[in-house]
């Protein structure tokens, strides 16, 4: 088995999916978390001056989604068929698109603008994507509650991560199951996978 060292900030952010894939698959790895104040001194030693990176048997590779896809393929979480892999891949990319507005309002220092961005996200962006994913679960021919194919894939893990962000909003959380029943069923199933559950129960309580 390869030796993995995953390096990212001590947040979930854009780099949580590789962690979820590895924990779901039960693969041991070093989860190296960098505090923001330590980052300037380390930046020059990373590819393109960015995180996350993964070190595989001593070789370092960048880009969170590339890392995620590699780990999913190596550990049976990419989808069984080419079309399943394509769908799992694009759903995973959708989660990244959905989360971009989160960072815009979360880090905005203008209180009025921040409120506008937050309102638009929870009233427009999140419901739109949740509607897509609810339909994907409902339309899966296997009827097993997963987004793609007959078993859990990276798509389920990425969507669970996206749902985690959104459900921090109490008002949205209160109506989530009634508005998106199929997605809610998927969310509960995925977060109950033993490796995922253990990790979620013990990871740092970061808001992003």
């Amino acid at each position: 088995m390869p030796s993995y060292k995953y390096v990212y900030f001590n947040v979930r952010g854009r780099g949580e999916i590789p962690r979820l894939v590895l924990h779901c698959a039960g693969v041991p790895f070093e989860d190296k978390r960098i505090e923001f104040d330590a980052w300037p001194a380390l930046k020059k030693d990373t590819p393109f001056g960015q995180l996350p990176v993964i070190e595989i048997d001593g070789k370092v590779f960048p880009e969170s989604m590339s890392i995620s896809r590699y780990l999913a393929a190596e550990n049976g979480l990419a989808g069984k068929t080419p079309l399943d892999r394509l769908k799992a891949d694009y759903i995973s990319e959708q989660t990244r698109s959905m989360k971009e507005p989160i960072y815009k309002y979360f880090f905005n220092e203008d209180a009025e603008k921040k409120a506008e961005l937050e309102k638009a996200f929870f009233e427009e962006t999140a419901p739109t994507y949740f509607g897509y994913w609810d339909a994907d679960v409902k339309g899966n021919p296997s009827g097993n509650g997963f987004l793609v194919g007959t078993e859990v894939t990276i798509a389920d893990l990425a969507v669970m991560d996206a749902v985690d962000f959104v459900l921090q909003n109490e008002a949205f959380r209160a109506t989530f199951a009634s508005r998106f029943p199929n997605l809610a069923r998927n969310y509960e199933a995925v977060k109950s996978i033993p490796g995922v559950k253990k990790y979620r129960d013990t990871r740092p309580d970061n808001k992003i």
Side-chain angles (χ1 to χ4, degrees):
M1 180 179 293
S3 172
Y4 295 124
K5 179 180 178 180
Y6 184 65
V7 185
Y8 188 56
F9 299 110
N10 187 24
V11 294
R12 286 179 274 165
R14 296 179 177 89
E16 184 72 351
I17 297 174
R19 292 174 180 146
L20 290 169
V21 170
L22 289 166
H23 282 289
C24 182
V27 175
F29 71 105
E30 181 181 350
D31 186 1
K32 178 70 173 178
R33 292 172 179 254
I34 304 298
E35 299 299 336
F36 287 110
D37 59 0
W39 172 234
L42 301 172
K43 184 174 182 177
K44 67 181 184 303
D45 297 322
T46 61
F48 312 113
Q50 296 178 344
L51 293 179
V53 297
I54 192 167
E55 186 176 310
I56 305 172
D57 293 335
K59 294 183 179 180
V60 178
F61 302 91
E63 297 293 344
S64 61
M65 292 309 296
S66 295
I67 293 168
S68 300
R69 284 189 285 266
Y70 167 80
L71 294 172
E74 285 292 293
N75 293 287
L77 294 169
K80 286 187 173 181
T81 70
L83 285 179
D84 282 352
R85 290 192 290 273
L86 174 61
K87 186 168 186 178
D89 192 22
Y90 82 63
I91 291 174
S92 300
E93 289 290 346
Q94 283 179 330
T95 67
R96 186 166 66 168
S97 298
M98 189 214 78
K99 288 192 292 182
E100 284 305 313
I102 292 174
Y103 309 125
K104 291 181 181 178
Y105 82 71
F106 195 90
F107 292 108
N108 197 295
E109 296 181 356
D110 182 317
E112 184 175 345
K113 182 62 175 177
K114 181 172 183 174
E116 291 176 1
L117 292 169
E118 186 173 8
K119 183 175 186 291
F121 176 78
F122 286 108
E123 293 185 4
E124 300 172 22
T125 304
T128 297
Y129 281 98
F130 277 29
Y132 295 154
W133 301 330
D134 190 83
D136 285 330
V137 176
K138 183 178 181 180
N140 186 342
S142 70
N144 61 5
F146 292 123
L147 283 153
V148 180
T150 59
E151 56 190 29
V152 64
T153 66
I154 185 176
D156 299 291
L157 297 167
V159 166
M160 182 197 71
D161 181 54
V163 173
D164 277 341
F165 278 96
V166 177
L167 294 192
Q168 293 182 80
N169 180 282
E170 292 184 9
F172 201 107
R173 185 169 64 247
T175 61
F176 170 57
S178 60
R179 294 170 70 189
F180 309 102
N182 302 290
L183 180 58
R185 181 163 60 101
N186 171 266
Y187 176 69
E188 293 299 325
V190 176
K191 73 177 189 177
S192 298
I193 293 169
V196 174
K197 183 180 186 307
K198 182 178 179 180
Y199 171 58
R200 291 176 82 258
D201 286 347
T202 57
R203 69 184 175 185
D205 185 23
N206 296 314
K207 298 301 181 184
I208 62 168

